[in-house]
Amino acid sequence: MKNKLTGLIVALLLSSSILSAQKTKDFDLKSQDGNITLHVVAGKKLVWSVQLKGKQIIAPSAMSLQLGNGDVLGDNAKVSSAKTEKINTTFKALNYKKTNVQDVYNELTLTCKNDFGVKFRVYNDGVAYRFFTKKKGEIVIKNEEANFNFTQDYKAFIPYMWDYRDGKIFNSSFEALYKETKISKFATDSLAFLPLMVDEGDNNKVVILEADLEDYPGMYLNLNDTHKGFMGVYAPYPLETKMGGYNNMNVIPTKRAEYIAKTNGTRSFPWRVVVISQSDKELLNNDMVQKLASPSRITDASWVKPGQAAWDWWNNWNITHVDFKAGINTPTYKYYIDFASANKISYIILDEGWSVEGDLSKVSPAINLKEIVDYGKQKHVDVILWATWSNIARQMDEIFPQYSKMGVKGFKIDFFDRDDQVVVASTYAIAKKAAEYHLMVDYHGIYKPTGIQKTYPNVIGFEGVKGMENYKWATEDQPRYAVSIPFIRMMAGPMDYTPGAMRNAIKANYHPVSSAPMSMGTRCNQLAMYVVFEAPFQMLADNPTIYMKEQECTDFITGVPTTTDETVALDGEVGEYAALARQKDGIWYVGAMTNWNSRQLTLDFSFLPEGNYKAVVFSDGINADRDATDYKKETKSIKSGDKLKIQLAPGGGWAARIEKIH
């Protein structure tokens, strides 16, 4: 009897121990407006889900960090503490679309046994989470499990990685139109890069992002086993490389490891983010990445000067009515400087060809760079130099001090075309080194921004967008793309789309011409891009000769500031049209764009403070559906609260500069 009783007690204790081990812990966190609820379950898996006003937005989705030693941080997680915090503050933003950013969220920090944890934040417009570890020495990250599950097979806007450099996956320009398709129809032979949008109906859109990406590979998305959701995929760590890709300008990994990162054991990992909108226009003025990025590491960034640049490559140095042979030479760049000076444009860019191939320390014999830089100084125009990432990574210790001393103000750095740990870490190293010499950097041929432009404010430009260079060779539907990216790609941060075409074509007349490119859509569509698209370092892509022939339009373009004090989303529908307003020093700028569908919009000017205003307006001409260069310039009187009907031609636009009448 005693043995039976002892056995029963042991069995009960074992059963209790098993039940205790299997017990889950649940946590709920709401946004401060009460509309969004995050639910976290720590059990066999660490799982998160999100509701908006009771509607399931993100279905239960597992997360974990898989280490090289076999540990899986998140599976069977033992939560040792849970701390919540309420934040309601405002911070100053530098070189951004607004001066003040409201930062309002509730935070849950789960600290777990095995020296790791997860931070969750719930904002009024989305949710973010990130892992952190507190381990000694270096750790190997074999993989990260990140899932974004949905309750239905919704429509998504998917930017596929398609142009593999040297035919190798994870080597891409990060430029793609959006494939609008059901989640379950995700391509089996590709991956998607971020941001990616999901349309959940009822005016609800979800945009998947990442923020504060540093010393870690960027996240791609693939279809997961639910066929109604996505999972994170990451480029493995590169072990061996060779030169290849486009014109042999890319560093192509030929061997990759079976892990994605080697990193410090005590650190925070990138934020995994979903932004949730209840109307499309909300996405035109979102600050999520800015709020999640690390603070500036430059003590005094007053020397960083955003602005516009006269750019040579897109227009193929095709200036005319001059008495010298146009091309990559000193007289041509002096001509660009004269144009920039006359129009108060801050910079010119010397794109590919200014240096000896493969050696940035040596200047092409056709270029007297010091003469060009000095000539620019006399005219109050500064010089930015183009370079490949491979050359910058190899030579920055030599050339940054060399060209900074000469008076060059920065570098446009191209052909990264990867976002594995090595490249991501390099973007921070370059920005830091450039800042030491008061050099700005414009990153091209690169993944989307994730907040480095806040951490290093000398990073003033990012491509990661299928921009206007494609008009030189492509026939794709750019007008639809141009009214999709403000709601999707621009959520990640600034984008160097390079607008400003003065040769404009309707759909029937458009054809790609590399040496004398034109744009799809109207002249006013191009003007509106300077207001709608966020770009602290903004291009004038066409050539000076044409701009001088089109001085009215040039005057409008060069009058639009590249950073603003305030941004107001006016109206929009992803893929259809977009309209927003920006304010700098009390002057307002309004832009509206449409796809190939003509449409009438009503703009509400309630955003204007009280008073009477004069608006200089550029609108599509009555014949812009036949000749895309047709436009009408007029002056209108406007006051706060006015509602103005505007007409947009196919591929059209509308732009205005609005000043208070004193």
Side-chain angles (χ1 to χ4, degrees), residues 391-404:
N391 286 334
I392 288 287
R394 181 170 49 85
Q395 291 188 281
M396 64 180 177
D397 289 340
E398 173 189 7
I399 63 143
F400 282 179
Q402 174 185 344
Y403 291 116
S404 175

Side-chain angles (χ1 to χ4, degrees), residues 150-413:
F150 298 89
T151 59
Q152 297 179 39
D153 187 13
Y154 291 119
K155 174 185 173 181
F157 290 72
I158 303 174
Y160 285 115
M161 176 171 48
W162 60 272
D163 61 333
Y164 301 164
R165 303 299 197 196
D166 273 17
K168 296 184 181 295
I169 196 168
F170 302 120
N171 299 267
S172 167
S173 66
F174 300 93
E175 300 177 20
L177 299 183
Y178 296 105
K179 182 70 173 177
E180 300 174 33
T181 184
K182 295 285 189 180
I183 296 173
S184 64
K185 302 299 182 182
F186 194 97
T188 58
D189 60 349
S190 188
L191 299 171
F193 47 81
L194 302 181
L196 181 150
M197 172 183 280
V198 174
D199 183 352
E200 295 202 9
D202 299 325
N203 293 320
N204 296 145
K205 301 287 196 307
V206 173
V207 179
I208 303 172
L209 297 155
E210 63 180 337
D212 216 22
L213 175 66
E214 181 175 3
D215 193 31
Y216 199 79
M219 182 167 69
Y220 299 85
L221 295 178
N222 201 354
L223 188 67
N224 65 19
D225 291 340
T226 69
H227 292 277
K228 292 185 293 186
F230 303 103
M231 64 179 183
V233 178
Y234 317 86
Y237 189 89
L239 297 174
E240 297 176 6
T241 62
K242 69 170 186 177
M243 295 304 298
Y246 179 78
N247 285 349
N248 214 40
M249 292 182 180
N250 293 109
V251 182
I252 305 291
T254 55
K255 182 179 180 182
R256 291 185 180 269
E258 294 184 355
Y259 55 84
I260 63 173
K262 278 188 175 181
T263 190
N264 194 312
T266 299
R267 63 163 294 177
S268 293
F269 291 82
W271 289 102
R272 307 312 180 196
V273 187
V274 292
V275 171
I276 303 164
S277 72
Q278 299 178 65
S279 70
D280 286 8
K281 78 172 186 179
E282 295 172 10
L283 300 174
L284 295 173
N285 187 23
N286 187 276
D287 302 308
M288 187 67 82
V289 171
Q290 181 78 192
K291 289 184 286 194
L292 292 169
S294 292
S296 175
R297 294 174 191 168
I298 299 177
T299 305
D300 177 13
S302 60
W303 53 270
V304 178
K305 303 292 185 185
Q308 294 180 341
W311 180 38
D312 53 359
W313 181 86
W314 191 79
N315 58 73
N316 202 31
W317 301 267
N318 248 339
I319 58 177
T320 58
H321 300 88
V322 294
D323 56 3
F324 56 85
K325 194 70 173 176
I328 305 172
N329 55 49
T330 301
T332 297
Y333 286 117
K334 284 188 171 182
Y335 181 92
Y336 276 80
I337 287 170
D338 288 340
F339 161 70
S341 178
N343 290 278
K344 295 183 172 59
I345 298 168
S346 301
Y347 302 98
I348 68 162
I349 292 179
L350 274 63
D351 212 285
E352 180 183 0
W354 68 268
S355 69
V356 171
E357 186 174 348
D359 189 350
L360 295 174
S361 69
K362 297 177 181 176
V363 178
S364 164
I367 296 285
N368 187 327
L369 185 57
K370 188 175 189 312
E371 182 180 341
I372 291 168
V373 172
D374 290 345
Y375 186 73
K377 286 179 184 176
Q378 296 170 23
K379 299 273 189 170
H380 304 291
V381 176
D382 288 311
V383 171
I384 305 290
L385 300 176
W386 177 93
T388 62
W389 170 66
S390 62
N391 286 334
I392 288 287
R394 181 170 49 85
Q395 291 188 281
M396 64 180 177
D397 289 340
E398 173 189 7
I399 63 143
F400 282 179
Q402 174 185 344
Y403 291 116
S404 175
K405 184 178 180 181
M406 184 183 291
V408 169
K409 295 301 181 183
F411 282 85
K412 174 182 175 178
I413 306 171

Side-chain angles (χ1 to χ4, degrees), residues 67-72 135 140:
L67 305 189
N69 65 3
D71 288 352
V72 181
K135 294 180 177 293
V140 172

Side-chain angles (χ1 to χ4, degrees), residues 7 27 32 43 58 89 102 189 214 277 279 285 315 420 478 522-523 538 546 550 564 618:
F27 305 88
Q32 291 191 23
I58 298 292
T89 188
Q102 289 187 311
D189 60 349
E214 181 175 3
S277 72
S279 70
N285 187 23
N315 58 73
D420 50 46
Q478 278 282 334
T522 70
R523 172 71 54 78
Q538 182 63 282
I546 295 181
E550 300 286 353
T564 49
F618 288 77

